[in-house]
Amino acid sequence: MRRLWLSAAALCAAIVPLLLSSCSSSGDIATSPTLGTSDEVAATLLVSNQPIEQWQQEDNDALPLTPPVGPNGDEHDSDSLRRPDKGNRMRPLPLPCLGLTPEQMAQIRQFQAQLDSANRAVMASIEDQLAALRQQEQAAWEAYRQATASQREELIALYRQFRAQVDSIRKLVRSGGMSRDDARAALRQLAQDFQNARKAIIDSTADARAQLKAALDQIAQARKALMDQIQPQLDANYQQFLNNVASILTPEQLATWQEWLAGKDPCKGRGRRR
């Protein structure tokens, strides 16, 4: 008998607020490369753009254009219901070792459908408020994108110039117009100047990033308050589901079910009943 898990809509709400790890400080970009020593960076730039690609990724992390994606692949994932961090709802129901009849399985599926429907109704009661919060969130991101637009353009121009300079040095080395030692020295200086300019641009976005973080924190708190408001009803719905399942079990099945409710694994070592 296959294992039946509770669907996400049947579970207690857990809030995962949007976090911007790069919004809290103006010192996101280090003045020295993160790849190693300046000599190592220069040697790498002589043959590869890998340091540049890493720096661009750091910039994308520091100046994101869109909200981070949640675990379920949805940027509004914090509005959804999913498994809590504790309790029986994290565990599969002990159906494989209950020895259920086809009729009992059909009833449990019906109870599950009832639970899903009840939870959808609860969520619908706050959908308008959640939609308003999503609009606020979108507005905060748009204000942030506009506030940092000029810095993004500056970074694009800075990277374009730096790549061209690095390419020129590589060409000189290949043509014999510059020794590798001289090239590494030149690249060390170029990389340091580039890093300093890059850090200055990122630092100039500190206010915009702080404003975005403050707005998102406020929205996350409002969302959590909404979810906390409906949590008692979600808990009641789930308890009703458990009661419904227990009501159709035989005394032997009910003993196994109560073991599971007590936090034990009644299926362990028993095999799977058909």
Side-chain angles (χ1 to χ4, degrees):
M1 183 182 298
R2 67 181 180 83
R3 179 170 294 188
L4 179 66
W5 286 81
L6 291 181
S7 67
L11 304 175
C12 164
I15 303 303
V16 181
L18 289 171
L19 296 177
L20 279 178
S21 60
S22 59
C23 282
S24 59
S25 169
S26 63
D28 304 281
I29 302 300
T31 55
S32 60
T34 59
L35 298 167
T37 66
S38 58
D39 286 339
E40 291 171 342
V41 171
T44 304
L45 285 172
L46 194 56
V47 296
S48 168
N49 283 337
Q50 191 270 334
I52 301 176
E53 292 167 358
Q54 178 169 327
W55 293 330
Q56 285 184 312
Q57 183 57 57
E58 291 174 0
D59 293 347
N60 290 338
D61 292 340
L63 288 175
L65 279 171
T66 57
V69 175
N72 294 336
D74 184 354
E75 69 182 45
H76 303 306
D77 192 64
S78 52
D79 291 350
S80 62
L81 302 179
R82 48 195 172 278
R83 302 181 190 280
D85 293 332
K86 60 183 178 179
N88 287 329
R89 279 165 278 188
M90 282 194 67
R91 305 159 59 213
L93 297 175
L95 305 186
C97 57
L98 285 177
L100 296 167
T101 66
E103 292 76 17
Q104 286 175 315
M105 280 299 301
Q107 286 178 293
I108 289 177
R109 292 191 183 98
Q110 183 179 357
F111 296 150
Q112 176 70 68
Q114 292 170 353
L115 174 60
D116 292 345
S117 177
N119 282 346
R120 283 194 296 270
V122 174
M123 286 299 295
S125 70
I126 61 169
E127 178 52 38
D128 288 346
Q129 293 151 290
L130 288 175
L133 291 177
R134 287 194 290 270
Q135 290 178 355
Q136 293 175 26
E137 203 168 63
Q138 292 168 0
W141 275 97
E142 182 58 30
Y144 158 77
R145 282 189 287 266
Q146 292 181 11
T148 58
S150 62
Q151 288 93 336
R152 295 176 199 283
E153 292 299 321
E154 290 179 48
L155 278 173
I156 290 172
L158 181 65
Y159 271 97
R160 186 182 298 118
Q161 179 187 44
F162 182 61
R163 283 179 179 272
Q165 291 170 326
V166 171
D167 287 343
S168 296
I169 291 175
R170 289 176 185 162
K171 289 177 181 178
L172 283 173
V173 172
R174 288 196 295 269
S175 67
M178 179 181 285
S179 70
R180 296 182 72 85
D181 287 344
D182 287 345
R184 281 192 291 269
L187 287 170
R188 274 197 303 272
Q189 188 58 54
L190 277 176
Q192 187 62 59
D193 292 344
F194 168 78
Q195 286 284 76
N196 291 339
R198 169 176 170 249
K199 181 180 184 298
I201 293 172
I202 297 294
D203 285 354
S204 70
T205 68
D207 287 346
R209 288 182 288 127
Q211 289 173 14
L212 175 62
K213 183 178 186 301
L216 294 182
D217 285 348
Q218 184 176 11
I219 292 168
Q221 290 172 8
R223 183 180 282 115
K224 183 179 185 304
L226 280 176
M227 302 305 283
D228 288 346
Q229 172 184 314
I230 65 172
Q231 191 60 56
Q233 186 58 55
L234 294 172
D235 290 341
N237 291 348
Y238 184 65
Q239 186 59 52
Q240 183 61 54
F241 168 78
L242 296 180
N243 293 342
N244 288 341
V245 173
S247 72
I248 66 169
L249 300 180
T250 66
E252 181 186 11
Q253 292 169 336
L254 189 57
T256 300
W257 180 252
Q258 289 172 340
E259 283 185 49
W260 178 79
L261 289 177
K264 300 178 182 178
D265 182 3
C267 295
K268 186 175 182 181
R270 290 194 183 189
R272 294 173 178 265
R273 300 182 187 178
R274 301 289 181 179

